[in-house]
Structures are given as structure tokens and as C-alpha cells.
């Protein structure tokens, strides 16, 4: 039975590799909800689980970079300070720390193993297969940034990516619905072929007398984080969608359903991120309302969004006024999952992971213990403890460089909407990472956001060059000199 979905996946993968490139974009986002699915039988990989999204990202890398033009693009971007030099240096630092630190500090530093099978207060550092596997996953994420930055320079491909994002969100909702219904209807024959990962799958956990919805992800927190990522990307990037039906009909429905399934996931980190999403959405609305730009892409939908939020607040006020007991189940769940979270054994265990990760960084004099050596419950702690102070600073400097990127003031329209959307879409999932991030791999979804931001800036700069050259020729009356520089 497992052979059928595996064959279907690789058939679609080959179609994307040798057919039209945008097929891989749809497969990339469409594969994200299948985080518990091993696309290669684990008995053939020595127990290592190869999930579909990193495999699709690898195919995108092959298609975008494995050519002479792709290699030239990689070399140019990797040595350009304004493009991907910082990320490339971070990757080199990660390789060095992973190769040498687990051996240099073996037995002298206490860590929490990434492949955690039983409860532990810490174990001595030593080289493991997790160093290799986690470094491979990080390498795929790093190279995926390069691949997306090249592939998405074409505006048509960027629109395909936004449509593919909606497909992925639809599948996340559908798989969540199937998992939710499985407590009432027997659906094992449908779900089990996609739950073939070798690591622990917490798919039958109950809380408050109900099932925690996990979809086809390993656990509720992973499913909640996936829905948060789709929610933020669709909400903040919807203004860049050229398809009106997708922007005005499909996107609002998906946003509502994603919020519903985030609630059903009962993930504390996802709940906090949902609250942060609300704050960021208000900030984004206020910025669009008060900006002096006349860009219709940035200002459209303001009235609809305001009256929708106003109606929701009025409805909530009426409930509180006439029948506040209706909100008791919601208040109870928020109180238990967020306000009293610090009193749970899970919180204590995860806090211990993070504390041991920071201590490992100190015990190695800031050099780090290598990718895949220790697990944390905080993405920042994972980055610094795994790659050291130098690696952490390089990575977060790169992130700031991406988020602070600006287009020329004369550029309006879809490009501005897309770049601004990336900035806001990054924040809530980042909060999830700070609450539940276990490894230093920033993931392929973030790789997509970084890549599309770079692609937008590069494509706008490319469109401006002919105008600059024409202006130079008109002013000087001479043939302009072409100067090539990194963007």
C-alpha cells in the first residue's frame, strides 16, 4: 500500500524535473503537509526518513543550478555582499563546526541528542549520524535560497509560486480535516500510507476531551506551525496575486480555515504565533493606510479588512455582553495552553533543552558543537549552539539584510507588494521557531521567502538598467560604459 503514494510522488517529481519548471513549485508547496511521509522506504536508507519537501527542494536546486548558467549565478551570488555572501559564509562555518567540534569536544560537553528516544538530563557530546543528516538538510535549505532566487526572477514564475502556496494550504486544511474526522470514522487505510516516518509520531494525543489535529505531520506543534506559515504567507502576499479570484475569493476562505485548524491543533506555540499574527496584521494595515504612496496594490482591500475586523469585534462584544459563558471553553483552553504552560512538564523539559544548548555554546568558548549535535526548544539557541557565535551572527545578519531590503521609491505595484509581504509573513513563524525550534535548519519555507525577496530586487534592478543606460546616452550623447556589479 505504501508503494502507491511513493510511486505517485516520484512520478510527479520526474514530471517537474523534466517538464515545465513551475510544476516543481506546485509540488514543493503541495508536499509540505506530508511531513510524516517517507518518500524513500526507510529500510533502504538505514532508518533515515526522507520527507517529500526537502526532496522537491533538491530537485529545484538541480533544475536551477545544475547548468553552466546556474553555476555562474551561484558563483556571482555567493561572492556578492548584497546578495548571498553572508548566507554562504554561514554555510561554510556550519560545515567546519560540524566536521571538527563534535570530535574536538567529545566527552567534554553535555548535550541533548537530536534523535531523542528517552528522557535524559543530558549526554556527553560525540559524533553521530545526526551530524551528517542535519547538515544535509541545512545544505538543501541554503542551496534552495540560491535556486529560488534564480528561478523566481521571472514574474510569471512568482505568480505560479503564489498559486502553489494556495494549493499547499488547501492540502494542509484537507489533511487536517481527515485527521479530525478519523476520531469519528475509520480512516486508517487513507492516513497510514502517509505516516511512514521512522521517528515518533504523536497522532493520537487528546486534550480537553478532544483529539489534537496533526494532519499528516508528526505532531500537533508541527501541524500548527505549518498552518501558521501558510496563513502568514497567503495573508501578507495576497496583494501580489494577479489572479483576482484567487486574491479575493480563495485567499480569504483559506485564511479563515487555516485559523480554524490552528485552533484545533491545540499547539501552544501556534496559539502565540496566531496572536502575533493579529498584531502584525494590524501593524501592516495601519502602515498601508497611512503610507503616502498612491500604489493601488498596497491600498486595495483596506475598507473590506477594516469592516471585517470591526464586525468581528462587535460580535465578540455582543457575546460578552449577553452570554459570556459561550466563551468559557475558549478561555479555558487559552488559560491551559498558554497562561499555565510554564507549569507543565513539557515546558520544563523543553526549557532544559534550551538551557543545555546555551551552556554547550559557553562550554565550547563560543565555537559551537556542530549541526545536529544538540537539540533545543528555541531556534536562536539552536543556531548559536550548533554553529557558534560566528555562525549565528552571520545567519541573523543575512536575515536582517533580507528584511530591510527596499525597492526604489519609484517602483510601485506587485513587486512592492511582494517584498513588503515577505517582511510581514516572516515574523509570526519566526516566533514559533523561538518557542519550539529544535534544530539549526531554517527550513525550505524560509528559503522560499529569502529567495523570492532576492528575486524581486534582482528583477527590478534588471528592469531599471535599460532606463539608466538610455538616460546616460541622452545626457552625454555617448555610448554608455557597462559596469557589472553585484545586486
Amino acid at each position: 500500500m505504501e508503494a502507491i503514494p511513493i510511486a505517485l510522488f516520484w512520478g510527479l517529481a520526474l514530471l517537474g524535473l523534466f517538464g515545465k519548471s513551475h510544476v516543481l513549485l506546485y509540488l514543493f508547496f503541495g508536499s509540505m503537509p506530508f511531513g510524516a511521509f517517507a518518500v524513500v522506504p526507510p529500510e533502504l536508507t538505514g532508518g533515515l526518513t526522507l520527507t517529500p519537501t526537502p526532496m522537491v527542494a533538491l530537485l529545484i536546486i538541480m533544475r536551477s543550478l545544475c547548468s553552466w548558467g546556474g553555476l555562474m549565478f551561484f558563483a556571482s551570488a555567493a561572492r556578492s555582499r548584497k546578495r548571498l555572501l553572508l548566507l554562504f559564509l554561514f554555510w561554510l562555518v556550519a560545515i567546519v563546526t560540524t566536521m571538527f567540534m563534535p570530535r574536538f569536544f567529545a566527552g567534554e560537553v553535555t548535550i541533548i541528542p537530536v534523535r531523542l528516544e528517552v528522557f535524559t538530563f543530558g549526554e556527553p557530546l560525540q559524533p553521530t549520524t545526526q551530524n551528517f543528516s542535519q547538515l544535509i538538510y541545512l545544505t538543501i535549505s541554503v542551496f534552495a535560497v540560491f535556486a529560488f532566487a534564480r528561478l523566481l526572477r521571472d514574474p510569471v514564475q512568482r505568480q505560479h509560486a503564489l498559486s502553489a502556496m494556495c494549493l499547499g494550504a488547501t492540502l494542509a486544511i484537507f489533511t487536517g480535516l481527515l485527521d479530525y474526522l478519523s476520531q469519528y470514522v475509520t480512516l486508517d487505510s487513507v492516513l497510514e500510507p502517509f505516516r511512514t516516518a521512522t521517528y515518533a509520531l504523536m497522532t493520537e494525543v487528546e486534550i480537553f476531551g478532544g483529539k489534537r489535529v496533526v494532519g499528516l505531520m508528526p505532531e500537533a506543534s508541527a501541524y500548527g506551525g505549518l498552518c501558521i506559515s501558510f496563513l502568514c504567507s497567503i495573508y501578507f502576499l495576497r496583494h501580489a496575486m494577479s489572479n483576482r479570484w484567487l486574491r479575493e475569493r480563495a485567499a480569504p476562505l483559506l485564511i479563515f480555515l487555516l485559523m480554524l485548524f490552528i485552533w484545533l491543533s491545540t499547539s501552544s506555540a501556534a496559539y502565540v504565533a496566531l496572536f502575533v499574527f493579529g498584531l502584525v496584521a494590524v501593524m501592516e494595515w495601519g502602515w498601508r493606510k497611512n503610507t503616502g504612496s498612491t500604489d493601488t496594490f498596497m491600498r486595495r482591500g483596506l475598507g473590506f479588512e477594516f469592516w471585517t475586523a470591526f464586525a468581528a469585534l462587535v460580535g465578540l462584544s455582543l457575546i460578552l455582553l449577553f452570554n459570556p459563558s459561550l466563551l468559557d471553553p475558549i478561555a479555558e483552553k487559552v488559560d491551559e495552553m498558554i497562561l499555565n504552560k510554564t507549569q507543565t512538564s513539557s515546558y520544563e523539559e523543553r526549557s532544559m533543552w534550551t538551557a543545555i544548548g546555551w551552556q554547550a555554546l559557553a562550554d565550547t568558548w563560543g565555537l559551537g558543537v556542530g549541526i545536529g549535535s544538540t537539540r533545543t526548544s528555541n531556534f536562536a539557541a539552536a543556531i548559536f549552539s550548533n554553529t557558534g557565535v560566528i555562525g549565528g551572527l552571520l545567519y541573523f545578519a543575512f536575515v536582517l539584510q533580507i528584511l530591510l531590503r527596499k525597492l526604489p521609491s519609484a517602483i510601485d505595484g506587485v513587486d512592492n507588494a511582494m517584498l513588503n509581504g515577505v517582511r510581514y509573513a516572516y515574523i509570526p513563524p519566526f516566533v514559533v521557531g523561538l518557542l519550539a525550534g529544535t534544530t539549526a535548519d531554517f527550513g525550505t519555507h524560509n528559503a522560499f521567502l529569502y529567495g523570492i525577496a532576492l528575486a524581486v530586487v534582482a528583477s527590478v534592478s534588471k528592469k531599471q538598467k535599460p532606463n539608466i543606460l538610455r538616460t546616460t546616452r541622452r545626457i552625454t550623447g555617448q555610448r554608455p560604459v557597462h559596469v557589472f556589479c553585484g545586486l
Side-chain angles (χ1 to χ4, degrees):
M1 194 65 171
E2 298 173 4
I4 296 177
I6 291 176
L8 178 62
F9 168 79
W10 286 110
L12 292 173
L14 291 175
L15 178 64
L17 184 62
F18 297 106
K20 295 182 178 180
S21 57
H22 64 259
V23 174
L24 286 176
L25 292 173
Y26 287 94
L27 188 58
F28 173 74
F29 285 103
S31 66
M32 285 185 177
F34 298 86
F37 175 45
V39 295
V40 177
E43 55 268 20
L44 300 180
T45 60
L48 178 64
T49 298
L50 299 176
T51 53
T53 306
M55 294 299 100
V56 178
L58 188 59
L59 296 179
I60 293 175
I61 293 169
M62 293 172 59
R63 174 121 191 190
S64 298
L65 302 180
C66 291
S67 63
W68 179 250
L71 292 175
M72 293 298 293
F73 174 86
F74 179 88
S76 174
R79 67 172 185 265
S80 172
R81 181 182 57 83
K82 294 183 179 180
R83 297 171 78 181
L84 289 165
L85 174 62
L86 293 176
L87 182 66
F88 182 69
L89 293 176
F90 162 73
W91 177 64
L92 293 180
V93 170
I95 292 176
V96 172
T97 56
T98 305
M99 289 179 59
F100 296 104
M101 296 306 111
R103 293 164 177 81
F104 186 77
F105 292 104
E108 299 181 10
V109 178
T110 299
I111 52 92
I112 299 294
V114 169
R115 195 177 185 88
L116 188 61
E117 298 178 352
V118 295
F119 177 82
T120 178
F121 286 103
E123 297 180 8
L125 174 65
Q126 60 180 349
T128 66
T129 56
Q130 296 303 307
N131 295 123
F132 175 76
S133 62
Q134 293 299 315
L135 181 61
I136 291 297
Y137 280 124
L138 177 63
T139 300
I140 291 174
S141 297
V142 169
F143 277 65
V145 179
F146 285 85
F148 282 124
R150 183 168 190 250
L151 176 64
L152 298 176
R153 291 180 302 175
D154 182 359
V156 175
Q157 294 285 19
R158 294 202 288 270
Q159 291 301 318
H160 277 300
L162 297 180
S163 300
M165 190 187 303
C166 293
L167 171 65
T170 302
L171 290 175
I173 294 167
F174 179 69
T175 55
L177 177 62
L178 290 179
D179 183 56
Y180 178 78
L181 293 176
S182 66
Q183 60 186 319
Y184 306 109
V185 183
T186 302
L187 294 173
D188 291 345
S189 59
V190 177
L191 299 177
E192 292 306 317
F194 296 97
R195 290 173 172 167
T196 54
T198 56
Y199 39 74
L201 301 179
M202 293 182 285
T203 60
E204 301 299 332
V205 180
E206 293 188 2
I207 189 170
F208 295 106
K211 185 182 185 303
R212 300 186 73 182
V213 174
V214 301
L216 291 176
M217 300 297 287
E219 57 180 350
S221 61
Y223 179 74
L226 174 73
C227 290
I228 281 290
S229 296
F230 277 128
L231 171 65
C232 296
S233 297
I234 292 174
Y235 181 85
F236 293 113
L237 288 170
R238 71 192 189 283
H239 302 294
M241 297 177 181
S242 60
N243 187 312
R244 184 174 180 179
W245 179 87
L246 202 64
R247 182 181 67 250
E248 298 181 1
R249 299 289 185 271
L253 178 61
L254 290 174
I255 289 168
F256 171 76
L257 292 175
L258 285 169
M259 294 175 69
L260 173 63
F261 278 90
I262 289 169
W263 179 257
L264 293 175
S265 73
T266 63
S267 167
S268 301
Y271 283 4
V272 173
L274 189 59
F275 175 74
V276 175
F277 163 76
L279 294 179
V280 175
V282 171
M283 291 170 52
E284 188 254 3
W285 187 91
W287 177 81
R288 286 164 48 217
K289 179 68 171 65
N290 296 310
T291 183
S293 174
T294 58
D295 185 359
T296 57
F297 284 85
M298 294 168 57
R299 300 180 65 85
R300 64 185 175 190
L302 288 172
F304 172 78
E305 294 162 15
F306 173 81
W307 289 113
T308 300
F310 180 77
L313 288 175
V314 170
L316 181 61
S317 300
L318 292 175
I319 292 174
L320 290 173
L321 182 63
F322 294 106
N323 195 359
S325 60
L326 288 176
L327 299 178
D328 287 348
I330 297 176
E332 181 184 359
K333 185 175 288 189
V334 171
D335 183 62
E336 181 67 24
M337 297 302 299
I338 299 178
L339 301 181
N340 293 328
K341 180 67 175 179
T342 57
Q343 302 175 12
T344 64
S345 58
S346 172
Y347 176 82
E348 293 177 356
E349 182 182 22
R350 287 178 171 271
S351 297
M352 179 191 66
W353 297 349
T354 302
I356 289 178
W358 287 120
Q359 186 60 46
L361 177 66
D363 292 342
T364 57
W365 302 297
L367 296 176
V369 293
I371 299 295
S373 289
T374 188
R375 114 181 353 233
T376 68
S377 188
N378 181 299
F379 177 68
I383 286 283
F384 280 99
S385 64
N386 281 224
T387 64
V389 173
I390 295 176
L393 291 177
L394 284 170
Y395 174 76
F396 286 108
F398 167 73
V399 172
L400 285 176
Q401 184 184 53
I402 291 292
L403 298 182
L404 297 178
R405 266 326 216 337
K406 293 183 178 180
L407 295 179
S409 57
I411 298 296
D412 287 328
V414 67
D415 293 327
N416 243 334
M418 194 166 290
L419 191 59
N420 288 320
V422 167
R423 294 193 188 101
Y424 290 107
Y426 179 81
I427 299 174
F430 178 69
V431 173
V432 174
L434 292 181
L435 297 175
T438 56
T439 70
D441 179 17
F442 54 83
T444 51
H445 185 268
N446 279 336
F448 165 76
L449 292 179
Y450 301 154
I452 198 170
L454 289 165
V456 168
V457 174
S459 62
V460 169
S461 300
K462 184 177 180 180
K463 286 188 291 186
Q464 281 193 313
K465 282 183 179 180
N467 295 332
I468 295 173
L469 295 178
R470 282 194 294 267
T471 302
T472 303
R473 179 176 295 177
R474 186 171 62 250
I475 294 174
T476 63
Q478 299 176 357
R479 185 187 181 101
V481 178
H482 294 261
V483 179
F484 295 93
C485 58
L487 298 176

